[in-house]
Amino acid sequence: MSDDGHRVIKFPHSRVRVGSKSRAIKELGLTKRAAAIDPDGRGAHGHWCSHCRGVWYGRAGEVECPVCGNRHG
């Protein structure tokens, strides 16, 4: 705790280290919403899925992997 009595809670998945012994990172594709807005994926942001060990792309506010439904990075 800090001196003012507040505790800082770190966001656990803001950066994920892949490691040198890991397999190749998979491209998991776009979410349905991102594909409906722009099928080419322009404006989509990349998100890591630790379950699928890959990157998926979605629009602002989307948090669910389109492949497995994981919501925890």
Side-chain angles (χ1 to χ4, degrees):
M1 282 199 180
S2 64
D3 293 336
D4 61 2
H6 292 89
R7 195 174 83 164
V8 175
I9 300 173
K10 294 181 181 179
F11 185 70
H13 305 292
S14 60
R15 297 196 185 253
V16 179
R17 291 183 185 230
V18 178
S20 61
K21 294 183 180 180
S22 66
R23 294 173 237 141
I25 296 172
K26 299 176 198 169
E27 294 270 339
L28 303 174
L30 292 168
T31 62
K32 289 180 184 178
R33 180 175 175 227
I37 292 171
D38 187 341
D40 293 327
R42 287 184 297 262
H45 301 277
H47 303 273
W48 174 255
C49 177
S50 58
H51 184 264
C52 296
R53 299 204 50 82
V55 177
W56 57 273
Y57 300 90
R59 304 301 286 200
E62 292 188 288
V63 296
E64 188 173 288
C65 173
V67 175
C68 70
N70 180 19
R71 298 173 60 99
H72 302 287

Short mmCIF file of all heavy atoms in Angstrom, two decimals:
data_model
loop_
_atom_site.label_atom_id
_atom_site.label_comp_id
_atom_site.label_asym_id
_atom_site.label_seq_id
_atom_site.Cartn_x
_atom_site.Cartn_y
_atom_site.Cartn_z
N MET A 1 0.83 -1.18 0.00
CA MET A 1 0.00 0.00 0.00
C MET A 1 0.87 1.24 0.00
O MET A 1 1.94 1.25 0.57
CB MET A 1 -0.89 0.04 1.22
CG MET A 1 -2.08 -0.83 1.16
SD MET A 1 -3.24 -0.26 2.37
CE MET A 1 -4.51 -1.38 2.12
N SER A 2 0.36 2.27 -0.60
CA SER A 2 1.10 3.53 -0.59
C SER A 2 0.77 4.31 0.67
O SER A 2 -0.08 3.92 1.47
CB SER A 2 0.75 4.35 -1.84
OG SER A 2 -0.62 4.70 -1.80
N ASP A 3 1.42 5.44 0.85
CA ASP A 3 1.23 6.24 2.05
C ASP A 3 -0.18 6.77 2.20
O ASP A 3 -0.65 7.01 3.30
CB ASP A 3 2.22 7.42 2.08
CG ASP A 3 3.65 6.93 2.24
OD1 ASP A 3 3.83 5.81 2.76
OD2 ASP A 3 4.55 7.66 1.82
N ASP A 4 -0.89 6.97 1.09
CA ASP A 4 -2.24 7.53 1.18
C ASP A 4 -3.31 6.47 1.39
O ASP A 4 -4.50 6.76 1.39
CB ASP A 4 -2.56 8.38 -0.06
CG ASP A 4 -2.50 7.58 -1.34
OD1 ASP A 4 -2.26 6.36 -1.29
OD2 ASP A 4 -2.70 8.17 -2.41
N GLY A 5 -2.92 5.22 1.55
CA GLY A 5 -3.87 4.15 1.84
C GLY A 5 -4.47 3.49 0.62
O GLY A 5 -5.29 2.60 0.73
N HIS A 6 -4.07 3.90 -0.57
CA HIS A 6 -4.60 3.31 -1.80
C HIS A 6 -3.63 2.27 -2.33
O HIS A 6 -2.42 2.41 -2.22
CB HIS A 6 -4.84 4.39 -2.85
CG HIS A 6 -5.94 5.32 -2.50
ND1 HIS A 6 -5.73 6.46 -1.77
CD2 HIS A 6 -7.26 5.25 -2.74
CE1 HIS A 6 -6.87 7.08 -1.60
NE2 HIS A 6 -7.83 6.36 -2.17
N ARG A 7 -4.18 1.25 -2.91
CA ARG A 7 -3.37 0.18 -3.47
C ARG A 7 -3.46 0.22 -5.00
O ARG A 7 -4.55 0.34 -5.55
CB ARG A 7 -3.88 -1.15 -2.97
CG ARG A 7 -2.91 -2.30 -3.18
CD ARG A 7 -3.41 -3.52 -2.54
NE ARG A 7 -4.34 -4.12 -3.49
CZ ARG A 7 -4.78 -5.36 -3.43
NH1 ARG A 7 -4.43 -6.13 -2.43
NH2 ARG A 7 -5.59 -5.84 -4.33
N VAL A 8 -2.35 0.11 -5.67
CA VAL A 8 -2.32 0.10 -7.12
C VAL A 8 -2.46 -1.34 -7.59
O VAL A 8 -1.71 -2.21 -7.16
CB VAL A 8 -1.02 0.71 -7.67
CG1 VAL A 8 -0.95 0.57 -9.18
CG2 VAL A 8 -0.89 2.15 -7.23
N ILE A 9 -3.42 -1.59 -8.45
CA ILE A 9 -3.63 -2.92 -9.02
C ILE A 9 -3.15 -2.87 -10.46
O ILE A 9 -3.70 -2.14 -11.27
CB ILE A 9 -5.11 -3.34 -8.95
CG1 ILE A 9 -5.56 -3.35 -7.49
CG2 ILE A 9 -5.30 -4.71 -9.59
CD1 ILE A 9 -7.04 -3.58 -7.31
N LYS A 10 -2.11 -3.63 -10.77
CA LYS A 10 -1.56 -3.65 -12.13
C LYS A 10 -2.46 -4.43 -13.06
O LYS A 10 -3.04 -5.45 -12.67
CB LYS A 10 -0.17 -4.27 -12.13
CG LYS A 10 0.85 -3.47 -11.38
CD LYS A 10 2.20 -4.15 -11.45
CE LYS A 10 3.24 -3.38 -10.68
NZ LYS A 10 4.56 -4.04 -10.74
N PHE A 11 -2.57 -3.97 -14.29
CA PHE A 11 -3.29 -4.71 -15.31
C PHE A 11 -2.42 -5.89 -15.72
O PHE A 11 -1.29 -5.69 -16.20
CB PHE A 11 -3.60 -3.82 -16.51
CG PHE A 11 -4.46 -4.48 -17.54
CD1 PHE A 11 -5.79 -4.75 -17.27
CD2 PHE A 11 -3.93 -4.85 -18.75
CE1 PHE A 11 -6.58 -5.36 -18.22
CE2 PHE A 11 -4.72 -5.46 -19.70
CZ PHE A 11 -6.05 -5.72 -19.43
N PRO A 12 -2.86 -7.13 -15.54
CA PRO A 12 -1.97 -8.28 -15.67
C PRO A 12 -1.53 -8.64 -17.08
O PRO A 12 -0.55 -9.32 -17.26
CB PRO A 12 -2.77 -9.42 -15.05
CG PRO A 12 -4.18 -9.01 -15.23
CD PRO A 12 -4.19 -7.51 -15.11
N HIS A 13 -2.25 -8.20 -18.09
CA HIS A 13 -1.94 -8.67 -19.44
C HIS A 13 -1.62 -7.54 -20.39
O HIS A 13 -1.81 -7.68 -21.59
CB HIS A 13 -3.11 -9.49 -19.98
CG HIS A 13 -3.50 -10.61 -19.08
ND1 HIS A 13 -2.70 -11.70 -18.87
CD2 HIS A 13 -4.58 -10.79 -18.30
CE1 HIS A 13 -3.29 -12.51 -18.00
NE2 HIS A 13 -4.42 -11.98 -17.65
N SER A 14 -1.14 -6.42 -19.88
CA SER A 14 -0.84 -5.32 -20.77
C SER A 14 0.34 -5.64 -21.68
O SER A 14 0.40 -5.19 -22.80
CB SER A 14 -0.59 -4.03 -20.00
OG SER A 14 0.50 -4.20 -19.12
N ARG A 15 1.28 -6.44 -21.20
CA ARG A 15 2.40 -6.90 -22.01
C ARG A 15 2.69 -8.35 -21.65
O ARG A 15 2.78 -8.70 -20.49
CB ARG A 15 3.63 -6.06 -21.78
CG ARG A 15 3.42 -4.63 -22.19
CD ARG A 15 4.74 -3.91 -22.31
NE ARG A 15 4.48 -2.52 -22.59
CZ ARG A 15 4.68 -1.97 -23.77
NH1 ARG A 15 5.14 -2.69 -24.75
NH2 ARG A 15 4.42 -0.70 -23.97
N VAL A 16 2.82 -9.17 -22.66
CA VAL A 16 3.05 -10.59 -22.44
C VAL A 16 4.34 -10.97 -23.15
O VAL A 16 4.50 -10.74 -24.34
CB VAL A 16 1.88 -11.44 -22.99
CG1 VAL A 16 2.14 -12.91 -22.79
CG2 VAL A 16 0.58 -11.03 -22.34
N ARG A 17 5.27 -11.57 -22.42
CA ARG A 17 6.51 -12.04 -23.04
C ARG A 17 6.26 -13.40 -23.66
O ARG A 17 5.72 -14.29 -23.03
CB ARG A 17 7.62 -12.14 -22.00
CG ARG A 17 8.05 -10.79 -21.51
CD ARG A 17 9.20 -10.94 -20.55
NE ARG A 17 9.51 -9.65 -20.01
CZ ARG A 17 10.74 -9.16 -19.97
NH1 ARG A 17 11.74 -9.87 -20.41
NH2 ARG A 17 10.95 -7.97 -19.49
N VAL A 18 6.69 -13.54 -24.90
CA VAL A 18 6.47 -14.79 -25.62
C VAL A 18 7.57 -15.79 -25.32
O VAL A 18 7.31 -16.96 -25.18
CB VAL A 18 6.36 -14.52 -27.14
CG1 VAL A 18 6.18 -15.81 -27.89
CG2 VAL A 18 5.20 -13.58 -27.42
N GLY A 19 8.79 -15.35 -25.19
CA GLY A 19 9.90 -16.26 -24.90
C GLY A 19 10.56 -16.78 -26.16
O GLY A 19 9.94 -16.89 -27.21
N SER A 20 11.81 -17.14 -26.04
CA SER A 20 12.57 -17.55 -27.22
C SER A 20 12.29 -19.00 -27.64
O SER A 20 12.55 -19.37 -28.77
CB SER A 20 14.06 -17.38 -26.96
OG SER A 20 14.45 -18.18 -25.87
N LYS A 21 11.79 -19.81 -26.73
CA LYS A 21 11.55 -21.22 -27.06
C LYS A 21 10.12 -21.49 -27.53
O LYS A 21 9.74 -22.61 -27.77
CB LYS A 21 11.83 -22.09 -25.84
CG LYS A 21 13.28 -22.09 -25.43
CD LYS A 21 13.50 -23.02 -24.25
CE LYS A 21 14.95 -23.02 -23.83
NZ LYS A 21 15.20 -23.90 -22.70
N SER A 22 9.33 -20.44 -27.64
CA SER A 22 7.93 -20.63 -28.00
C SER A 22 7.76 -20.92 -29.49
O SER A 22 8.64 -20.65 -30.29
CB SER A 22 7.11 -19.40 -27.62
OG SER A 22 7.53 -18.32 -28.40
N ARG A 23 6.61 -21.42 -29.82
CA ARG A 23 6.28 -21.67 -31.21
C ARG A 23 5.97 -20.35 -31.91
O ARG A 23 5.88 -19.31 -31.28
CB ARG A 23 5.05 -22.57 -31.28
CG ARG A 23 5.31 -23.94 -30.74
CD ARG A 23 4.03 -24.73 -30.68
NE ARG A 23 3.90 -25.11 -29.28
CZ ARG A 23 2.81 -25.14 -28.60
NH1 ARG A 23 1.68 -24.82 -29.15
NH2 ARG A 23 2.78 -25.49 -27.34
N ALA A 24 5.77 -20.39 -33.18
CA ALA A 24 5.42 -19.20 -33.95
C ALA A 24 4.08 -18.65 -33.45
O ALA A 24 3.19 -19.41 -33.07
CB ALA A 24 5.34 -19.52 -35.42
N ILE A 25 3.95 -17.35 -33.48
CA ILE A 25 2.71 -16.71 -33.05
C ILE A 25 1.68 -16.85 -34.16
O ILE A 25 1.96 -16.58 -35.33
CB ILE A 25 2.95 -15.23 -32.71
CG1 ILE A 25 3.90 -15.15 -31.52
CG2 ILE A 25 1.65 -14.52 -32.42
CD1 ILE A 25 4.37 -13.76 -31.20
N LYS A 26 0.47 -17.26 -33.80
CA LYS A 26 -0.60 -17.46 -34.76
C LYS A 26 -1.36 -16.16 -35.00
O LYS A 26 -1.52 -15.36 -34.10
CB LYS A 26 -1.61 -18.48 -34.24
CG LYS A 26 -1.04 -19.84 -33.98
CD LYS A 26 -2.12 -20.70 -33.37
CE LYS A 26 -1.50 -21.91 -32.71
NZ LYS A 26 -2.49 -22.63 -31.89
N GLU A 27 -1.86 -15.99 -36.20
CA GLU A 27 -2.78 -14.90 -36.54
C GLU A 27 -4.17 -15.49 -36.40
O GLU A 27 -4.54 -16.41 -37.13
CB GLU A 27 -2.55 -14.43 -37.97
CG GLU A 27 -1.23 -13.77 -38.20
CD GLU A 27 -1.29 -12.27 -37.97
OE1 GLU A 27 -2.38 -11.68 -38.02
OE2 GLU A 27 -0.22 -11.69 -37.73
N LEU A 28 -4.95 -14.99 -35.45
CA LEU A 28 -6.27 -15.56 -35.16
C LEU A 28 -7.40 -14.87 -35.90
O LEU A 28 -8.54 -15.31 -35.84
CB LEU A 28 -6.52 -15.51 -33.65
CG LEU A 28 -5.47 -16.24 -32.80
CD1 LEU A 28 -5.74 -16.01 -31.33
CD2 LEU A 28 -5.43 -17.71 -33.14
N GLY A 29 -7.10 -13.80 -36.59
CA GLY A 29 -8.09 -13.13 -37.43
C GLY A 29 -8.85 -12.02 -36.72
O GLY A 29 -8.53 -11.61 -35.61
N LEU A 30 -9.90 -11.56 -37.41
CA LEU A 30 -10.74 -10.47 -36.94
C LEU A 30 -11.94 -10.98 -36.16
O LEU A 30 -12.44 -12.08 -36.42
CB LEU A 30 -11.27 -9.67 -38.13
CG LEU A 30 -10.30 -8.86 -38.95
CD1 LEU A 30 -10.96 -8.39 -40.24
CD2 LEU A 30 -9.80 -7.68 -38.16
N THR A 31 -12.45 -10.14 -35.26
CA THR A 31 -13.72 -10.44 -34.61
C THR A 31 -14.83 -10.18 -35.63
O THR A 31 -14.62 -9.52 -36.66
CB THR A 31 -13.95 -9.53 -33.39
OG1 THR A 31 -14.00 -8.17 -33.82
CG2 THR A 31 -12.87 -9.73 -32.34
N LYS A 32 -16.03 -10.68 -35.36
CA LYS A 32 -17.15 -10.46 -36.27
C LYS A 32 -17.47 -8.98 -36.42
O LYS A 32 -17.75 -8.49 -37.51
CB LYS A 32 -18.39 -11.21 -35.77
CG LYS A 32 -18.29 -12.69 -35.91
CD LYS A 32 -19.55 -13.37 -35.40
CE LYS A 32 -19.40 -14.87 -35.45
NZ LYS A 32 -20.60 -15.55 -34.92
N ARG A 33 -17.39 -8.25 -35.32
CA ARG A 33 -17.69 -6.82 -35.36
C ARG A 33 -16.67 -6.06 -36.20
O ARG A 33 -17.03 -5.23 -37.04
CB ARG A 33 -17.70 -6.25 -33.94
CG ARG A 33 -17.99 -4.78 -33.88
CD ARG A 33 -18.10 -4.33 -32.44
NE ARG A 33 -18.26 -2.90 -32.39
CZ ARG A 33 -17.59 -2.09 -31.59
NH1 ARG A 33 -16.73 -2.60 -30.74
NH2 ARG A 33 -17.79 -0.82 -31.61
N ALA A 34 -15.39 -6.36 -36.01
CA ALA A 34 -14.34 -5.69 -36.78
C ALA A 34 -14.47 -6.02 -38.27
O ALA A 34 -14.29 -5.14 -39.11
CB ALA A 34 -12.97 -6.10 -36.26
N ALA A 35 -14.80 -7.26 -38.59
CA ALA A 35 -14.96 -7.66 -39.99
C ALA A 35 -16.18 -6.99 -40.62
O ALA A 35 -16.16 -6.64 -41.80
CB ALA A 35 -15.08 -9.17 -40.10
N ALA A 36 -17.24 -6.78 -39.84
CA ALA A 36 -18.44 -6.12 -40.35
C ALA A 36 -18.16 -4.64 -40.63
O ALA A 36 -18.67 -4.08 -41.60
CB ALA A 36 -19.58 -6.25 -39.36
N ILE A 37 -17.34 -4.01 -39.80
CA ILE A 37 -17.01 -2.59 -40.00
C ILE A 37 -16.05 -2.43 -41.18
O ILE A 37 -16.24 -1.54 -42.01
CB ILE A 37 -16.41 -2.00 -38.70
CG1 ILE A 37 -17.49 -1.96 -37.63
CG2 ILE A 37 -15.82 -0.61 -38.95
CD1 ILE A 37 -16.98 -1.61 -36.24
N ASP A 38 -15.02 -3.24 -41.24
CA ASP A 38 -14.06 -3.17 -42.34
C ASP A 38 -13.43 -4.54 -42.53
O ASP A 38 -12.58 -4.95 -41.74
CB ASP A 38 -12.98 -2.13 -42.04
CG ASP A 38 -12.05 -1.92 -43.22
OD1 ASP A 38 -11.99 -2.78 -44.13
OD2 ASP A 38 -11.37 -0.89 -43.24
N PRO A 39 -13.83 -5.27 -43.57
CA PRO A 39 -13.31 -6.62 -43.80
C PRO A 39 -11.79 -6.69 -43.98
O PRO A 39 -11.19 -7.74 -43.79
CB PRO A 39 -14.02 -7.07 -45.08
CG PRO A 39 -15.22 -6.21 -45.18
CD PRO A 39 -14.86 -4.91 -44.54
N ASP A 40 -11.15 -5.57 -44.32
CA ASP A 40 -9.69 -5.55 -44.48
C ASP A 40 -8.98 -5.35 -43.15
O ASP A 40 -7.75 -5.44 -43.08
CB ASP A 40 -9.27 -4.44 -45.45
CG ASP A 40 -9.73 -4.74 -46.87
OD1 ASP A 40 -9.77 -5.93 -47.25
OD2 ASP A 40 -10.05 -3.78 -47.59
N GLY A 41 -9.71 -5.05 -42.09
CA GLY A 41 -9.12 -4.90 -40.77
C GLY A 41 -8.50 -3.56 -40.47
O GLY A 41 -7.84 -3.40 -39.45
N ARG A 42 -8.71 -2.57 -41.35
CA ARG A 42 -8.16 -1.24 -41.08
C ARG A 42 -8.80 -0.67 -39.82
O ARG A 42 -10.00 -0.73 -39.65
CB ARG A 42 -8.40 -0.31 -42.26
CG ARG A 42 -7.52 -0.64 -43.46
CD ARG A 42 -7.72 0.36 -44.57
NE ARG A 42 -9.08 0.35 -45.09
CZ ARG A 42 -9.47 -0.28 -46.19
NH1 ARG A 42 -8.59 -0.97 -46.88
NH2 ARG A 42 -10.71 -0.24 -46.58
N GLY A 43 -7.97 -0.15 -38.93
CA GLY A 43 -8.46 0.43 -37.69
C GLY A 43 -8.61 -0.56 -36.55
O GLY A 43 -8.94 -0.19 -35.44
N ALA A 44 -8.38 -1.84 -36.81
CA ALA A 44 -8.48 -2.86 -35.76
C ALA A 44 -7.19 -2.87 -34.93
O ALA A 44 -6.12 -2.54 -35.43
CB ALA A 44 -8.74 -4.23 -36.37
N HIS A 45 -7.32 -3.25 -33.68
CA HIS A 45 -6.18 -3.31 -32.77
C HIS A 45 -5.88 -4.76 -32.43
O HIS A 45 -6.79 -5.57 -32.25
CB HIS A 45 -6.48 -2.55 -31.47
CG HIS A 45 -6.79 -1.12 -31.70
ND1 HIS A 45 -5.81 -0.17 -31.85
CD2 HIS A 45 -7.97 -0.46 -31.85
CE1 HIS A 45 -6.37 1.00 -32.06
NE2 HIS A 45 -7.67 0.86 -32.07
N GLY A 46 -4.60 -5.09 -32.29
CA GLY A 46 -4.19 -6.45 -31.97
C GLY A 46 -4.29 -6.73 -30.48
O GLY A 46 -4.04 -5.87 -29.65
N HIS A 47 -4.72 -7.95 -30.15
CA HIS A 47 -4.86 -8.41 -28.77
C HIS A 47 -4.25 -9.80 -28.66
O HIS A 47 -4.41 -10.62 -29.56
CB HIS A 47 -6.33 -8.48 -28.35
CG HIS A 47 -7.05 -7.19 -28.50
ND1 HIS A 47 -7.06 -6.23 -27.51
CD2 HIS A 47 -7.77 -6.69 -29.52
CE1 HIS A 47 -7.77 -5.21 -27.92
NE2 HIS A 47 -8.22 -5.46 -29.14
N TRP A 48 -3.60 -10.09 -27.54
CA TRP A 48 -2.97 -11.39 -27.32
C TRP A 48 -3.96 -12.35 -26.66
O TRP A 48 -4.66 -12.00 -25.72
CB TRP A 48 -1.75 -11.21 -26.43
CG TRP A 48 -1.10 -12.50 -26.03
CD1 TRP A 48 -1.18 -13.09 -24.80
CD2 TRP A 48 -0.30 -13.35 -26.84
NE1 TRP A 48 -0.45 -14.26 -24.80
CE2 TRP A 48 0.09 -14.45 -26.04
CE3 TRP A 48 0.11 -13.29 -28.17
CZ2 TRP A 48 0.89 -15.47 -26.53
CZ3 TRP A 48 0.91 -14.32 -28.65
CH2 TRP A 48 1.29 -15.39 -27.84
N CYS A 49 -4.01 -13.59 -27.13
CA CYS A 49 -4.77 -14.65 -26.48
C CYS A 49 -3.78 -15.69 -25.97
O CYS A 49 -3.11 -16.36 -26.77
CB CYS A 49 -5.76 -15.30 -27.44
SG CYS A 49 -6.66 -16.68 -26.67
N SER A 50 -3.66 -15.81 -24.65
CA SER A 50 -2.70 -16.75 -24.08
C SER A 50 -3.15 -18.19 -24.25
O SER A 50 -2.32 -19.10 -24.28
CB SER A 50 -2.48 -16.44 -22.60
OG SER A 50 -3.71 -16.49 -21.90
N HIS A 51 -4.43 -18.42 -24.38
CA HIS A 51 -4.94 -19.78 -24.58
C HIS A 51 -4.59 -20.28 -25.99
O HIS A 51 -4.06 -21.38 -26.15
CB HIS A 51 -6.45 -19.83 -24.36
CG HIS A 51 -7.02 -21.19 -24.46
ND1 HIS A 51 -7.58 -21.67 -25.61
CD2 HIS A 51 -7.09 -22.19 -23.56
CE1 HIS A 51 -7.99 -22.91 -25.41
NE2 HIS A 51 -7.70 -23.24 -24.17
N CYS A 52 -4.85 -19.48 -27.00
CA CYS A 52 -4.56 -19.85 -28.39
C CYS A 52 -3.11 -19.58 -28.77
O CYS A 52 -2.64 -20.06 -29.80
CB CYS A 52 -5.46 -19.07 -29.34
SG CYS A 52 -7.22 -19.42 -29.18
N ARG A 53 -2.41 -18.79 -27.95
CA ARG A 53 -1.05 -18.35 -28.20
C ARG A 53 -0.95 -17.66 -29.56
O ARG A 53 -0.14 -18.00 -30.42
CB ARG A 53 -0.05 -19.49 -28.10
CG ARG A 53 -0.05 -20.10 -26.71
CD ARG A 53 1.19 -20.80 -26.29
NE ARG A 53 2.44 -20.11 -26.44
CZ ARG A 53 2.94 -19.20 -25.59
NH1 ARG A 53 2.24 -18.85 -24.55
NH2 ARG A 53 4.11 -18.65 -25.80
N GLY A 54 -1.82 -16.67 -29.73
CA GLY A 54 -1.83 -15.92 -30.97
C GLY A 54 -2.43 -14.54 -30.78
O GLY A 54 -2.86 -14.17 -29.69
N VAL A 55 -2.45 -13.79 -31.88
CA VAL A 55 -2.96 -12.43 -31.86
C VAL A 55 -4.24 -12.37 -32.68
O VAL A 55 -4.31 -12.87 -33.79
CB VAL A 55 -1.91 -11.46 -32.46
CG1 VAL A 55 -2.45 -10.05 -32.53
CG2 VAL A 55 -0.63 -11.50 -31.67
N TRP A 56 -5.26 -11.74 -32.07
CA TRP A 56 -6.51 -11.50 -32.78
C TRP A 56 -6.72 -10.00 -32.88
O TRP A 56 -6.10 -9.23 -32.17
CB TRP A 56 -7.70 -12.18 -32.11
CG TRP A 56 -7.93 -11.82 -30.68
CD1 TRP A 56 -7.37 -12.39 -29.58
CD2 TRP A 56 -8.79 -10.79 -30.18
NE1 TRP A 56 -7.83 -11.79 -28.43
CE2 TRP A 56 -8.72 -10.80 -28.78
CE3 TRP A 56 -9.63 -9.86 -30.78
CZ2 TRP A 56 -9.43 -9.93 -27.97
CZ3 TRP A 56 -10.35 -8.99 -29.98
CH2 TRP A 56 -10.25 -9.04 -28.60
N TYR A 57 -7.58 -9.58 -33.80
CA TYR A 57 -7.77 -8.16 -34.07
C TYR A 57 -9.23 -7.78 -33.88
O TYR A 57 -10.13 -8.49 -34.34
CB TYR A 57 -7.31 -7.83 -35.50
CG TYR A 57 -5.86 -8.16 -35.70
CD1 TYR A 57 -5.46 -9.41 -36.15
CD2 TYR A 57 -4.88 -7.23 -35.38
CE1 TYR A 57 -4.13 -9.72 -36.30
CE2 TYR A 57 -3.54 -7.54 -35.51
CZ TYR A 57 -3.17 -8.78 -35.98
OH TYR A 57 -1.84 -9.09 -36.11
N GLY A 58 -9.43 -6.67 -33.18
CA GLY A 58 -10.78 -6.21 -32.91
C GLY A 58 -10.84 -4.70 -32.80
O GLY A 58 -9.83 -4.01 -32.83
N ARG A 59 -12.04 -4.20 -32.63
CA ARG A 59 -12.26 -2.76 -32.51
C ARG A 59 -12.18 -2.36 -31.04
O ARG A 59 -12.08 -3.21 -30.15
CB ARG A 59 -13.63 -2.40 -33.09
CG ARG A 59 -13.83 -2.82 -34.53
CD ARG A 59 -12.83 -2.23 -35.46
NE ARG A 59 -13.12 -0.83 -35.66
CZ ARG A 59 -12.68 -0.11 -36.67
NH1 ARG A 59 -11.93 -0.66 -37.58
NH2 ARG A 59 -12.98 1.15 -36.78
N ALA A 60 -12.27 -1.08 -30.78
CA ALA A 60 -12.19 -0.55 -29.42
C ALA A 60 -13.26 -1.19 -28.53
O ALA A 60 -14.41 -1.32 -28.93
CB ALA A 60 -12.36 0.96 -29.44
N GLY A 61 -12.84 -1.62 -27.36
CA GLY A 61 -13.77 -2.20 -26.39
C GLY A 61 -13.97 -3.70 -26.49
O GLY A 61 -14.57 -4.30 -25.61
N GLU A 62 -13.49 -4.32 -27.55
CA GLU A 62 -13.65 -5.77 -27.67
C GLU A 62 -12.58 -6.47 -26.85
O GLU A 62 -11.41 -6.08 -26.88
CB GLU A 62 -13.57 -6.20 -29.13
CG GLU A 62 -14.75 -5.71 -29.94
CD GLU A 62 -14.76 -6.31 -31.33
OE1 GLU A 62 -13.91 -5.92 -32.13
OE2 GLU A 62 -15.62 -7.17 -31.58
N VAL A 63 -12.97 -7.50 -26.11
CA VAL A 63 -12.05 -8.18 -25.21
C VAL A 63 -12.08 -9.69 -25.34
O VAL A 63 -11.37 -10.39 -24.64
CB VAL A 63 -12.34 -7.82 -23.73
CG1 VAL A 63 -12.10 -6.33 -23.50
CG2 VAL A 63 -13.74 -8.19 -23.32
N GLU A 64 -12.85 -10.24 -26.25
CA GLU A 64 -13.03 -11.68 -26.35
C GLU A 64 -12.38 -12.24 -27.60
O GLU A 64 -12.67 -11.79 -28.71
CB GLU A 64 -14.52 -12.00 -26.33
CG GLU A 64 -14.83 -13.47 -26.24
CD GLU A 64 -16.30 -13.73 -26.05
OE1 GLU A 64 -16.79 -13.46 -24.95
OE2 GLU A 64 -16.94 -14.15 -27.01
N CYS A 65 -11.51 -13.22 -27.42
CA CYS A 65 -10.86 -13.89 -28.54
C CYS A 65 -11.93 -14.49 -29.45
O CYS A 65 -12.81 -15.22 -28.97
CB CYS A 65 -9.91 -14.98 -28.03
SG CYS A 65 -9.19 -16.00 -29.33
N PRO A 66 -11.87 -14.25 -30.77
CA PRO A 66 -12.88 -14.79 -31.67
C PRO A 66 -12.78 -16.29 -31.88
O PRO A 66 -13.71 -16.92 -32.37
CB PRO A 66 -12.64 -14.03 -32.97
CG PRO A 66 -11.20 -13.66 -32.92
CD PRO A 66 -10.90 -13.41 -31.47
N VAL A 67 -11.66 -16.89 -31.50
CA VAL A 67 -11.46 -18.33 -31.71
C VAL A 67 -11.96 -19.13 -30.50
O VAL A 67 -12.77 -20.06 -30.63
CB VAL A 67 -9.97 -18.65 -31.98
CG1 VAL A 67 -9.75 -20.15 -32.07
CG2 VAL A 67 -9.53 -17.95 -33.25
N CYS A 68 -11.52 -18.76 -29.29
CA CYS A 68 -11.84 -19.58 -28.12
C CYS A 68 -12.73 -18.88 -27.08
O CYS A 68 -13.21 -19.51 -26.15
CB CYS A 68 -10.55 -20.04 -27.44
SG CYS A 68 -9.65 -18.71 -26.62
N GLY A 69 -12.92 -17.57 -27.23
CA GLY A 69 -13.75 -16.84 -26.27
C GLY A 69 -13.03 -16.38 -25.01
O GLY A 69 -13.64 -15.80 -24.12
N ASN A 70 -11.72 -16.60 -24.94
CA ASN A 70 -10.92 -16.18 -23.78
C ASN A 70 -11.02 -14.67 -23.62
O ASN A 70 -10.90 -13.92 -24.58
CB ASN A 70 -9.47 -16.60 -23.98
CG ASN A 70 -8.57 -16.21 -22.84
OD1 ASN A 70 -9.00 -15.94 -21.73
ND2 ASN A 70 -7.27 -16.19 -23.12
N ARG A 71 -11.24 -14.22 -22.38
CA ARG A 71 -11.35 -12.79 -22.09
C ARG A 71 -10.26 -12.30 -21.15
O ARG A 71 -10.37 -11.24 -20.56
CB ARG A 71 -12.71 -12.49 -21.48
CG ARG A 71 -13.87 -12.82 -22.39
CD ARG A 71 -15.20 -12.66 -21.69
NE ARG A 71 -15.41 -11.32 -21.21
CZ ARG A 71 -16.13 -10.38 -21.81
NH1 ARG A 71 -16.71 -10.65 -22.95
NH2 ARG A 71 -16.26 -9.20 -21.27
N HIS A 72 -9.20 -13.07 -20.97
CA HIS A 72 -8.18 -12.75 -19.98
C HIS A 72 -6.79 -12.61 -20.55
O HIS A 72 -5.82 -12.89 -19.88
CB HIS A 72 -8.19 -13.80 -18.86
CG HIS A 72 -9.50 -13.91 -18.19
ND1 HIS A 72 -9.97 -12.95 -17.33
CD2 HIS A 72 -10.47 -14.83 -18.29
CE1 HIS A 72 -11.18 -13.29 -16.90
NE2 HIS A 72 -11.49 -14.43 -17.48
N GLY A 73 -6.68 -12.18 -21.79
CA GLY A 73 -5.35 -11.95 -22.39
C GLY A 73 -4.59 -13.19 -22.71
O GLY A 73 -4.94 -14.29 -22.55
#
